Amino acid sequence: MCYPHANFVYHAATALYYIAYMFDRTDYNSPWLHILGLQVRRLSAADYRAMDERGSAASDLTAPANGSPIRFARNMVAHLLTGGLDFLKVLLPLSIFFYRFLEWWHRSDFHKKAQMTSPPPSPMPLKPHPDGLAVPEDQTLCPICKESRTNPAAAPSGYVFCYPCIFNHVSDKHTCPVTLAAAHVNGIRKLYSDS
Ligand SMILES: [Zn+2]
């Protein structure tokens, strides 16, 4: 019930702090910072000078002339550790990026397309049987009637004949005339485009 009032008071206080901060009436730009005692202000030339002095004092510590070799070694280790941390700062985002990229790659279609570029190997053709019919040199001829194929059809062995020739042969002998492999008329396939 009192939430709207509290909310209003909070926002009004924040706005007042902002306005007062803009006109330099307060050192704090938000009530929370006032409670915490934190001041937000622009760095002045004096601040930069103070930081430089502190920096040069720190680098003096690493000089071997100013301390014992043990101290020098300790400072070197500290420097190396900071260097390692800086290196990790670069390496971690890079490795995360790389990991996300791999994840995306494996989920995307690019991955499947790249795999599909290598076609599967074609199956080995059945070898003609020594006792079977010879396959004519001219691949467009029917091995049974030795004439140009009419109404081409393939036996289950893969060899192509005229449909009437192979149908009659398989109904009679139940084998492929070339390979002598077992065949059934149901296994004869009509070719709709003769290759
Ligand atoms: Zn034929």
Side-chain angles (χ1 to χ4, degrees):
M1 207 172 108
C2 63
Y3 173 74
H5 299 288
N7 194 37
F8 171 76
V9 169
Y10 170 69
H11 281 284
T14 311
L16 280 175
Y17 262 95
Y18 268 122
I19 292 163
Y21 186 74
M22 258 182 348
F23 289 100
D24 227 3
R25 296 295 167 100
T26 171
D27 289 333
Y28 308 98
N29 66 343
S30 114
W32 293 116
L33 291 180
H34 197 168
I35 292 165
L36 292 171
L38 287 174
Q39 286 186 25
V40 179
R41 38 167 71 209
R42 207 177 273 273
L43 284 173
S44 67
D47 292 323
Y48 283 116
R49 230 175 296 129
M51 282 200 301
D52 272 351
E53 276 159 25
R54 247 178 288 158
S56 56
S59 58
D60 280 348
L61 290 177
T62 58
N66 280 9
S68 64
I70 296 168
R71 191 170 171 189
F72 173 67
R74 205 178 55 198
N75 283 327
M76 280 306 289
V77 170
H79 262 261
L80 283 177
L81 279 178
T82 349
L85 283 179
D86 284 343
F87 178 65
L88 276 181
K89 271 184 211 162
V90 180
L91 186 75
L92 277 177
L94 267 182
S95 56
I96 290 169
F97 171 77
F98 186 64
Y99 173 74
R100 300 296 298 185
F101 173 77
L102 279 183
E103 213 178 43
W104 166 81
W105 174 257
H106 279 278
R107 244 184 302 158
S108 69
D109 287 344
F110 290 106
H111 172 57
K112 287 170 202 152
K113 274 179 199 152
Q115 277 189 336
M116 274 195 283
T117 48
S118 52
S122 51
M124 288 291 289
L126 284 178
K127 292 241 160 53
H129 196 279
D131 298 336
L133 287 178
V135 181
E137 292 266 316
D138 184 352
Q139 299 269 308
T140 63
L141 299 183
C142 167
I144 296 174
C145 64
K146 314 283 186 203
E147 285 175 23
S148 189
R149 282 188 302 245
T150 54
N151 209 354
S157 61
Y159 289 92
V160 185
F161 312 85
C162 316
Y163 181 72
C165 293
I166 188 64
F167 184 88
N168 291 334
H169 183 94
V170 169
S171 322
D172 193 23
K173 307 264 172 63
H174 305 287
T175 55
C176 161
V178 174
T179 62
L180 302 188
H184 191 270
V185 281
N186 288 348
I188 297 170
R189 290 286 172 270
K190 169 105 180 66
L191 295 190
Y192 291 98
S193 100
D194 193 1
S195 52

